[in-house]
Amino acid sequence: EQMLREILDPVLAGLRQNSHQQTPDNQPDHANCRVSERLESLMLTYYSIMAPNPGLARLIQRVLHTEKNTPSYQIVQRVFDDIHHLSRLWIQKMLVDAGHLRPDVDPMMARLSLVSLMVFPLLAPPVFMENSGISLKPGDVERLVKHNVSLLRIALFVPEHPE
């Protein structure tokens, strides 16, 4: 459990980061942040950790498909309870409360879309990735992240107004 937490700590820290600009009462103000940039940073952090070790994502997926009362399931579940909580909070604060999520988009469906786009490349069969011309090598990951953020921005977010 400790190893998994240490590996995922930079991603968890990115989800925990709830300060961008401060309001006069020192509360986070996400209404003025560039949500696309924050999302890109979060995704790049995730891939910098997971891309060199895609077997970890497959192992986690395999464990979470086993019986719930196995020790390995319970260990992984504790870590993912934290990820689940922090990602809900991130979506709520960064997108919903700050007015970045389109009003017609369900926040939990938005989270599912975000997680799906991030995790699928790690779980996809290598032959699928190769045939699609996608790799998780540095340089290619940036292209994938920019594509995913653009897709999410167009589909889920209120348009950003250039300053």
Side-chain angles (χ1 to χ4, degrees):
E1 180 175 351
Q2 186 62 30
M3 179 198 72
L4 194 55
R5 286 184 187 282
E6 285 178 18
I7 290 170
L8 295 173
D9 189 57
V11 175
L12 294 170
L15 289 170
R16 278 188 208 102
Q17 183 183 22
N18 286 319
S19 61
H20 185 66
Q21 294 179 340
Q22 301 293 319
T23 60
D25 57 351
N26 291 326
Q27 295 300 309
D29 179 10
H30 302 296
N32 296 317
C33 80
R34 303 266 235 182
V35 71
S36 295
E37 291 171 10
R38 297 289 294 272
L39 185 55
E40 187 172 319
S41 175
L42 182 65
M43 283 186 169
L44 286 171
T45 300
Y46 172 76
Y47 283 121
S48 73
I49 294 164
M50 299 300 286
N53 305 296
L56 178 60
R58 291 185 201 111
L59 174 66
I60 291 167
Q61 189 258 355
R62 198 168 38 245
V63 167
L64 290 177
H65 278 89
T66 62
E67 287 293 318
K68 290 184 177 185
N69 34 343
T70 64
S72 56
Y73 180 94
Q74 292 172 1
I75 288 169
V76 173
Q77 183 60 46
R78 282 192 295 271
V79 175
F80 275 83
D81 283 346
D82 290 347
I83 292 171
H84 176 78
H85 171 72
L86 289 170
S87 66
R88 278 185 85 172
L89 196 61
W90 193 89
I91 293 282
Q92 187 64 44
K93 289 185 176 189
M94 288 295 300
L95 300 180
V96 178
D97 294 349
H100 294 296
L101 192 67
R102 286 189 6 212
D104 61 325
V105 174
D106 179 310
M108 291 305 98
M109 292 296 184
R111 185 169 60 117
L112 176 63
S113 297
L114 170 62
V115 170
S116 297
L117 286 171
M118 289 174 67
V119 174
F120 179 77
L122 296 164
L123 299 178
V127 69
F128 175 82
M129 297 296 283
E130 289 167 16
N131 289 342
S132 300
I134 301 166
S135 91
L136 297 177
K137 295 176 184 169
D140 291 344
V141 165
E142 287 82 0
R143 188 175 124 233
L144 176 63
V145 166
K146 287 198 179 299
H147 168 79
N148 286 347
V149 170
S150 178
L151 188 67
L152 291 167
R153 185 175 27 82
I154 291 166
L156 304 177
F157 303 158
V158 171
E160 293 177 355
H161 302 289
E163 295 176 16

